[in-house]
Amino acid sequence: MTGTPFTALRGQLHEAAAEFAGGADALEGILLGLVDDVDRAVAEPLEIFPVCHHSPASALAMARRLREKQPKVVYLELCEDMAPLLTELRNCRLPVAVQAFASDIEGFPQGWAPLSVVAPLTEASAEYQAVAYALDTPGVELVLVDRSSDHVFQWDARHDRADDPVREDVTETGTATGTEAEAALHGEAVGVEIGDLRPRFAELEEHLLRHGKVRHWSEWWHQYVEVPLGDSDHDTYRQVMFLIGSLFRRLAPGDGDRVRVDEDRERYMWTRMREHLAATGTDPADCLYVCGAFHAASRVDEFGVHGGDGFEISPRTATTWQYGLIPSSNTAIEAQFGLASGSVSIAATQWAKNLKRTGVKPYRLEGQAGTKKTGTKATAATALPTATPAEDRLSGFLQRPPVLDTLDETELLGWSVDIVRAARRNGYLASTADAIAVFETSILLAGMRDRAKPTPYDFQDAAVTCIEKDSVPGRRDVRRLVENMMGGDRIGQVGYEALPPLARDVHDRLAPLELNLQQRGVRRALLDMTSRPELRACSDVLWMLRRLMPHGAARPVMGERRLGERSIQESWDLALGTHQRALIELGYEGVSLEQVLEQRLRRTAYGPRATTAEVLAAVEDATLYLGGRRLADELGTRALDVLAGERTVDGAPEVLRRVRGLLAYYRTSEPVLPPWIESFVRTGYAHYCTLLPTAFRDEDATVGQVAAMLGFLFSMESLALSLGCDRTQLELAVAQAHPKDPAKTALLWAAQVQLGTLSRGELRARCDELLANPLVVPSYPRYLSGFVHALEPVPGLADVVVEAVSNAFGRLPDAVLLPWLPVLITTLRSHAAELAPLLIREAGRIFPARLEALDTWVPPWHRQPATPRAVTAAAAPRGAALLPAHPTTCDALAELLGCAEGWTAADVSAPAGPRAALLATHPATVDALACVLTAR
């Protein structure tokens, strides 16, 4: 290795290793290996530009180098299949993320779906500078050389753990795990690491943080890398970044799977670059390779333009990938890459300061939203003269004492005043004294940490200490206020032109609302379909968005949509701009909302674990949102097949509710019932009759589920019998039921009453026997719970249930009654919509309406039967004489029946006929009728 520019540095490191380690050992190998890695990367004919993700120093060095070198080809470490999307960045406001999305996957475990890969970009990132330069400079080619999105999951370590389908163990990159909405803008997408520089050796990171007197990695990087490299020249910047990447790589044992993936990525990228150079004949001196510093100091055999060609790239799977741009934010980037809160906002502020201090003109895409025009046009790339041999800049950089920035009192005073003003606006009792305290504490903390100039992190700690103290009066704490003051959490936006067709179609169809729905925040939409009939189409779109998008994207304030019901006025809270990512991902599934909804309904109905209730819900949604009968009939036929294959009654309550709603809708809106629902009722009647005896005995079947089965059988009985079902099947099923649970026993008695095999009197007698038996009294509340559930299939038993509950309150001891009350309340609450109104209405009919009447009120079931009255023979003609006296009613009935005979003359003196004599002989019927009439 003699003759290289780093010979002197190797000698110094060799002497240092011998002095500190007492001879040649692993330390010397590591130190000399670092220099070898730097020497190898610097000597590569194809210039390697190492970067750190979202680093202002890297972005500044990139912008400066691009203007100096003007490369003709830029190789960028980014998924190669994302290249067509980069031109759409000019239609967006940064930060945004390039996304690859796949919902229908082949070649991967189904538990991984949906697959998503994102690569966020900000203006203060070296990658964006390279993209902007390549796209707006004539004659420059941008080539993405990293593995495809498909290979990201092909190389996932979960392939080695096929029996573990959990998504949370993704070790490729971090996911957005922030608690706020902005931190979740990337969803569960896997982030592409572009320039990830963070030690993977926990002890090394802890050592650096402790000796650097900082709290987290972002602060260490800002203090010891960002600031020193902010004013360095190109060669110094490259060599230092090579050294840092090699240091972290050699000292980090890391996870074996992750190291393997990293090395395969490096082989992949160098293979792609050699293929492109061979295909185009481009001179490597005219190219620039932008990659993370961790990958720049690579030691694989395929490294370099003259590296080996033994690496074979596997073909992609048959998975269909969709591509688009989604909004991102500083918080989402911090959550994805494990950075400290506010670090990306501070980096953006540092980027602006660097540009102002150095005068470097950054690259921005022409027409980029949210950026200022540079005022100069990009010129065609021209080749530079032959580069001079690299010199050793590392020795000078490592031996140079740290440059201490002088205290900028004006800037620090401005920060102190601004944070006090912001704190007072957010409810803190801050004053001028607090501003002075923050100023002085910032200087004190910086001195304790060996810094002459307080960093934003020092100022943040001082503000929290002096202002927040121990309470947060508002929604934002002081730490968040400092982040907002330093630049805030910038949230990107994807422009209309860059949206997928579905998202553009949604905005076009909602244009009559005259609202800017692309802006973040909530917009209130008022729809009066009576005065503006064209808004009905907007209403249809909004209801579909509510069905397809997350909660809060489209929330109805007034109005509802049910089967057979349409509102004439509606009010909506819309936040489509806030949920732009969800809207964009809908565009990956289809070109219109109707298509996406139909696909999802089919996926639900034809899923391997679909239940009858879920398929009926899909039928209802198809009827509500899509209209027509084609899809609803198809899904209804599918529900019939699923019902026939079910062997449990778990979904019986939901099936009953949905079938009742669909039947009521079709009976009022269609001339005849659809064939599928007739078949469903016929099949369901036989199906539940078959399962009924088993459900009564099954301990896993709840009382509510058995009651729902009986509700289906009794409420659908008339229709089922008209379609050819046999009632004997139901009678046999009830006769074969022998439950052991008291609640199910009460349910069985109610079913027998409905079938006529048990009278109401016998049912009341059984209830009295239960209360009279001391051994059964403790379980009597369970019988009552069964009676309450019985109101679902047999609502006519409401009076018997009220009587049974009243007797329980009157006769049960407190030790039994009080523990049962919560069970009764929860039972009524769970069935409040159906059962409670029946009981309340029946109780209102039976109990007195006024409090004064309660003292003398006697329950109907405690009243003594009235004494039978003797009916004399003389009374008979009196009733018979009433009809001739008022013949109008009889005349009308005779005319209706077609009786043309006239009235015969009434002979009062004539003896009573055989009918009157029959009544006199058997007066019981007349007495009973008289009791009923007098009781009313």
Side-chain angles (χ1 to χ4, degrees):
M1 302 295 290
T2 58
T4 66
F6 300 100
T7 302
L9 180 59
R10 284 192 179 87
Q12 295 176 13
L13 293 177
H14 176 77
E15 295 175 359
E19 180 177 354
F20 289 102
D25 62 352
L27 176 61
E28 179 181 0
I30 292 175
L31 295 178
L32 297 181
L34 298 178
V35 181
D36 292 340
D37 291 341
V38 175
D39 193 5
R40 184 184 188 188
V42 170
E44 174 60 33
L46 194 160
E47 180 178 338
I48 304 173
F49 196 96
V51 299
C52 176
H53 204 26
H54 305 297
S55 167
S58 295
L60 186 70
M62 173 63 70
R64 183 189 296 116
R65 182 57 178 169
L66 289 174
R67 293 195 181 277
E68 292 174 354
K69 182 180 178 65
Q70 293 288 309
K72 296 180 180 179
V73 178
V74 176
Y75 296 114
L76 182 61
E77 180 191 341
L78 190 63
C79 295
E80 58 184 2
D81 52 337
M82 294 182 176
L85 287 175
L86 298 181
T87 57
E88 297 293 339
L89 288 174
R90 66 180 74 253
N91 298 319
C92 305
R93 184 176 70 242
L94 299 179
V96 296
V98 187
Q99 183 184 38
F101 186 90
S103 55
D104 297 329
I105 61 176
E106 295 184 22
F108 302 107
Q110 290 298 323
W112 293 12
L115 306 179
S116 180
V117 180
V118 297
L121 293 173
T122 64
E123 186 180 357
S125 62
E127 304 91 318
Y128 174 76
Q129 295 297 310
V131 170
Y133 162 78
L135 295 182
D136 282 352
T137 304
V140 175
E141 184 180 4
L142 177 65
V143 182
L144 306 186
V145 294
D146 199 2
R147 57 190 173 157
S148 66
S149 304
D150 198 90
H151 287 90
V152 170
F153 291 95
Q154 283 190 35
W155 296 353
D156 198 306
R158 289 175 294 173
H159 277 291
D160 300 331
R161 305 186 302 274
D163 57 338
D164 184 10
V166 182
R167 287 188 58 87
E168 284 77 10
D169 62 348
V170 178
T171 58
E172 166 67 21
T173 55
T175 57
T177 59
T179 57
E180 299 183 0
E182 290 79 5
L185 283 177
H186 297 171
E188 296 183 353
V190 173
V192 177
E193 293 179 347
I194 308 174
D196 175 38
L197 271 186
R198 181 166 184 163
R200 300 181 187 175
F201 192 21
E203 289 77 2
L204 172 60
E205 182 174 352
E206 181 183 356
H207 177 83
L208 293 176
L209 298 183
R210 183 174 67 252
H211 288 275
K213 298 180 180 180
V214 294
R215 293 175 293 112
H216 45 71
W217 174 251
S218 300
E219 186 176 359
W220 186 93
W221 181 267
H222 174 86
Q223 178 67 24
Y224 294 99
V225 180
E226 285 291 336
V227 175
L229 289 182
D231 297 324
S232 62
D233 60 86
H234 172 62
D235 291 336
T236 302
Y237 168 83
R238 289 183 67 212
Q239 294 176 21
V240 170
M241 293 295 285
F242 287 145
L243 180 67
I244 295 174
S246 176
L247 174 67
F248 292 164
R249 187 169 188 137
R250 286 181 175 270
L251 292 185
D255 180 31
D257 292 331
R258 186 169 184 178
V259 173
R260 174 183 56 81
V261 171
D262 288 333
E263 293 179 349
D264 285 344
R265 289 179 66 183
E266 293 156 7
R267 296 185 180 97
Y268 193 106
M269 290 186 286
W270 281 109
T271 300
R272 288 303 192 202
M273 285 186 283
R274 285 194 298 271
E275 291 175 354
H276 181 269
L277 292 173
T280 60
T282 306
D283 186 358
D286 296 332
C287 304
L288 187 68
Y289 172 35
V290 183
C291 68
F294 190 88
H295 299 292
S298 175
R299 292 174 292 171
V300 298
D301 295 336
E302 290 79 6
F303 176 86
V305 295
H306 302 299
D309 293 326
F311 183 71
E312 296 183 2
I313 299 176
S314 60
R316 301 182 188 180
T317 66
T319 299
T320 301
W321 289 89
Q322 305 286 338
Y323 301 92
L325 297 171
I326 63 173
S328 183
S329 67
N330 294 346
T331 304
I333 296 172
E334 292 161 0
Q336 176 180 321
F337 288 91
L339 305 177
S341 177
S343 58
V344 178
S345 300
I346 293 175
T349 303
Q350 185 70 25
W351 161 253
K353 289 182 179 179
N354 290 346
L355 293 179
K356 184 177 180 180
R357 185 184 71 254
T358 61
V360 174
K361 293 183 179 180
Y363 286 94
R364 295 187 178 96
L365 287 172
E366 192 69 25
Q368 179 79 61
T371 60
K372 299 179 181 178
K373 294 183 178 180
T374 58
T376 58
K377 294 184 178 180
T379 57
T382 57
L384 287 177
T386 305
T388 59
E391 300 178 358
D392 178 14
R393 302 296 180 90
L394 271 181
S395 299
F397 182 85
L398 296 176
Q399 295 175 1
R400 184 182 64 191
V403 178
L404 299 178
D405 292 339
T406 58
L407 174 63
D408 189 346
E409 293 189 359
T410 303
E411 180 186 53
L412 186 57
L413 280 174
W415 287 356
S416 302
V417 173
D418 290 342
I419 190 58
V420 169
R421 184 184 298 115
R424 295 183 65 177
R425 285 198 301 265
N426 285 269
Y428 291 89
L429 299 178
S431 62
T432 304
D434 292 310
I436 298 174
V438 172
F439 179 85
E440 297 294 340
T441 306
S442 300
I443 298 176
L444 177 62
L445 288 177
M448 294 173 61
R449 297 165 178 173
D450 297 332
R451 295 194 279 265
K453 178 181 179 181
T455 66
Y457 299 98
D458 298 327
F459 172 75
Q460 189 179 56
D461 293 341
V464 172
T465 303
C466 298
I467 298 177
E468 185 173 301
K469 300 178 178 67
D470 60 349
S471 62
V472 178
R475 294 187 301 109
R476 296 182 177 88
D477 56 12
V478 174
R479 190 173 303 278
R480 176 54 58 88
L481 295 178
V482 173
E483 295 173 8
N484 294 339
M485 191 186 70
M486 291 293 177
D489 183 17
R490 289 198 61 181
I491 301 175
Q493 184 184 50
V494 179
Y496 176 85
E497 294 79 6
L499 292 174
L502 180 143
R504 293 200 300 268
D505 179 63
V506 168
H507 285 289
D508 293 342
R509 295 167 69 176
L510 295 180
L513 298 179
E514 299 177 356
L515 298 173
N516 188 359
L517 298 179
Q518 288 192 279
Q519 288 185 353
R520 294 182 60 84
V522 178
R523 300 288 184 272
R524 176 62 60 87
L526 302 176
L527 287 72
D528 185 359
M529 275 77 78
T530 303
S531 59
R532 297 183 61 187
E534 68 273 12
L535 295 182
R536 294 189 181 275
C538 296
S539 175
D540 295 337
V541 173
L542 293 178
W543 284 109
M544 284 188 286
L545 289 175
R546 179 179 179 269
R547 171 64 173 76
L548 295 172
M549 294 190 66
H551 176 73
R555 184 177 66 87
V557 179
M558 181 184 69
E560 60 182 358
R561 176 161 292 195
R562 297 179 181 177
L563 288 174
E565 298 181 10
R566 293 293 186 272
S567 303
I568 60 175
Q569 288 184 335
E570 295 176 355
S571 177
W572 290 80
D573 280 345
L574 303 178
L576 298 184
T578 305
H579 295 83
Q580 193 179 47
R581 178 183 67 86
L583 182 61
I584 291 173
E585 290 183 352
L586 278 183
Y588 300 153
E589 301 182 43
V591 296
S592 66
L593 289 175
E594 289 80 2
Q595 181 186 6
V596 173
L597 180 56
E598 182 173 343
Q599 290 176 353
R600 290 195 179 182
L601 294 178
R602 290 180 186 275
R603 192 179 305 122
T604 300
Y606 289 94
R609 297 183 179 180
T611 63
T612 306
E614 292 174 347
V615 181
L616 290 177
V619 175
E620 185 174 337
D621 288 343
T623 306
L624 279 177
Y625 304 120
L626 298 179
R629 289 271 302 273
R630 176 188 58 84
L631 181 61
D633 290 350
E634 177 186 342
L635 298 181
T637 305
R638 170 61 179 169
L640 181 62
D641 298 336
V642 175
L643 176 67
E646 286 186 347
R647 293 297 177 264
T648 64
V649 296
D650 295 342
E654 186 69 11
V655 170
L656 174 62
R657 187 180 68 84
R658 300 223 177 250
V659 169
R660 279 179 175 174
L662 290 169
L663 265 176
Y665 169 73
Y666 287 129
R667 280 171 172 167
T668 56
S669 62
E670 300 286 345
V672 294
L673 291 177
W676 75 266
I677 201 167
E678 292 183 350
S679 301
F680 188 91
V681 171
R682 184 168 56 248
T683 303
Y685 189 87
H687 178 72
Y688 285 133
C689 282
T690 304
L691 296 180
L692 190 60
T694 304
F696 268 110
R697 295 190 303 268
D698 189 2
E699 295 181 356
D700 295 333
T702 64
V703 181
Q705 294 170 354
V706 179
M709 295 174 61
L710 291 174
F712 184 94
L713 294 171
F714 289 146
S715 60
M716 308 288 172
E717 185 177 16
S718 59
L719 178 59
L721 296 180
S722 67
L723 296 174
C725 294
D726 189 359
R727 194 169 194 260
T728 306
Q729 188 177 6
L730 176 57
E731 295 175 349
L732 291 175
V734 173
Q736 294 172 0
H738 302 288
K740 298 180 180 180
D741 183 63
K744 292 183 180 178
T745 301
L747 199 59
L748 176 62
W749 292 346
Q752 292 173 348
V753 171
Q754 179 70 13
L755 292 175
T757 58
L758 184 68
S759 66
R760 288 172 174 265
E762 293 173 339
L763 180 59
R764 288 188 172 94
R766 290 185 180 183
C767 293
D768 291 338
E769 291 175 2
L770 294 176
L771 282 174
N773 189 345
L775 298 178
V776 184
V777 164
S779 59
Y780 184 76
R782 299 176 62 185
Y783 285 93
L784 290 180
S785 298
F787 283 131
V788 172
H789 282 92
L791 293 177
E792 174 73 42
V794 191
L797 281 181
D799 57 336
V800 178
V801 176
V802 171
E803 176 183 343
V805 173
S806 300
N807 289 334
F809 277 96
R811 298 174 59 179
L812 285 178
D814 292 344
V816 177
L817 181 63
L818 294 180
W820 168 66
L821 289 179
V823 178
L824 175 64
I825 294 173
T826 54
T827 301
L828 292 177
R829 178 177 296 177
S830 60
H831 299 81
E834 299 87 6
L835 306 185
L838 287 175
L839 290 177
I840 294 173
R841 186 164 53 250
E842 186 63 25
R845 187 186 66 83
I846 295 176
F847 290 95
R850 301 182 63 84
L851 184 61
E852 297 81 7
L854 188 60
D855 294 334
T856 60
W857 176 75
V858 179
W861 51 88
H862 288 169
R863 293 174 184 170
Q864 296 295 331
T867 303
R869 295 181 302 173
V871 180
T872 61
R878 183 181 60 180
L882 184 64
L883 293 179
H886 303 280
T888 307
T889 303
C890 290
D891 291 340
L893 181 59
E895 183 179 356
L896 180 63
L897 297 176
C899 297
E901 296 83 359
W903 284 82
T904 60
D907 187 1
V908 180
S909 62
R915 297 178 181 84
L918 183 63
L919 293 177
T921 306
H922 304 283
T925 303
V926 179
D927 292 339
L929 179 59
C931 290
V932 173
L933 296 177
T934 56
R936 296 291 183 180

